[in-house]
Amino acid sequence: HYLPFFDLLMKINEKGFKVLTIDGRCGSGKSTLGKLLSDVYQCPLIHMDDFYLPKELRTPERYNEPGGNVHYERFEDEVYLNILKGVDFKYGVFSHEVMGVHHYQEVKASERYVIEGSYSFHPKLRKYSDFKVFLTQNKESQKKRIIKRKWIYQTKDQMIWQELQHQNWLKSSLMNKLL
């Protein structure tokens, strides 16, 4: 299960990191790799899924932005600025049931952090990461992985929207500069 990641671990060990971000296609293994790296390096793992955009900020203009469905402003304020300060912090965890922050996750100050999720390379956030990993997989594997966790996607339209959003993001000139 983790065998494909050993070469990556060697590269990470060679370079080192303060903030490692993992982005990639839906169902590519971002959470799996994030958990592995968090365990290996004994550091906090922060999920971009906890930063979906709240209902009141969901506008057509915002959704036209690559990564516009992520509340990147809150991520910067609650996570990155506190990492820079070197302090313990907490951040709000988004809930689809309440369409907003449901509870708070406490994070102890650490020498290293792993951040995983779609749009973790967002143009407004990428300056904070010093090691970036992008994951992908073939369409058939992606489809199987998405079906396994179907509870995340309520409708086929939402699955299509997620993929279109990510494809739009990958095609953006800002993203291409990162890879």
Side-chain angles (χ1 to χ4, degrees):
H1 190 72
Y2 293 119
L3 195 55
F5 298 131
F6 284 131
D7 286 340
L8 176 62
L9 285 172
M10 297 299 288
K11 290 177 185 173
I12 292 170
N13 284 333
E14 287 173 19
K15 183 178 181 207
F17 69 93
K18 171 73 174 178
V19 177
L20 182 146
T21 51
I22 305 165
D23 203 329
R25 292 172 50 83
C26 183
S28 62
K30 298 178 295 292
S31 297
T32 300
L33 178 59
K35 174 75 170 111
L36 171 67
L37 294 177
S38 175
D39 289 347
V40 167
Y41 293 106
Q42 296 294 293
C43 65
L45 172 61
I46 301 169
H47 305 279
M48 291 299 293
D49 284 351
D50 293 337
F51 293 86
Y52 279 112
L53 201 61
K55 191 173 185 174
E56 64 272 11
L57 297 178
R58 295 177 182 206
T59 64
E61 296 79 24
R62 181 64 178 247
Y63 278 150
N64 281 332
E65 295 178 31
N69 61 325
V70 172
H71 199 173
Y72 53 82
E73 302 92 343
R74 185 168 69 84
F75 193 91
E76 183 174 43
D77 289 344
E78 294 181 13
V79 176
Y80 277 135
L81 296 181
N82 286 306
I83 288 174
L84 289 175
K85 292 176 190 173
V87 298
D88 295 352
F89 62 94
K90 65 181 181 178
Y91 64 85
V93 176
F94 182 87
S95 164
H96 289 281
E97 287 81 31
V98 299
M99 291 305 291
V101 171
H102 180 263
H103 66 278
Y104 288 87
Q105 176 68 45
E106 294 186 12
V107 179
K108 295 284 184 194
S110 178
E111 291 183 24
R112 297 178 173 154
Y113 299 84
V114 174
I115 297 166
E116 70 81 20
S118 294
Y119 309 113
S120 60
F121 292 359
H122 192 284
K124 306 263 187 196
L125 303 175
R126 66 182 181 197
K127 64 185 173 191
Y128 298 106
S129 177
D130 53 4
F131 199 106
K132 297 172 186 71
V133 177
F134 186 85
L135 299 179
T136 190
Q137 80 290 317
N138 66 50
K139 284 285 193 185
E140 190 58 35
S141 294
Q142 180 186 35
K143 183 178 177 183
K144 287 178 185 176
R145 289 177 178 182
I146 289 172
I147 289 170
K148 275 186 183 178
R149 56 183 187 166
K150 64 184 172 196
W151 57 269
I152 293 175
Y153 299 101
Q154 303 290 316
T155 67
K156 182 178 177 182
D157 288 341
Q158 287 174 320
M159 287 177 61
I160 292 168
W161 177 83
Q162 174 75 15
E163 181 60 21
L164 287 174
Q165 276 286 94
H166 208 71
Q167 289 301 317
N168 185 28
W169 174 247
L170 290 174
K171 291 176 185 174
S172 76
S173 60
L174 292 171
M175 183 63 182
N176 289 332
K177 291 177 185 177
L178 294 173
L179 301 176

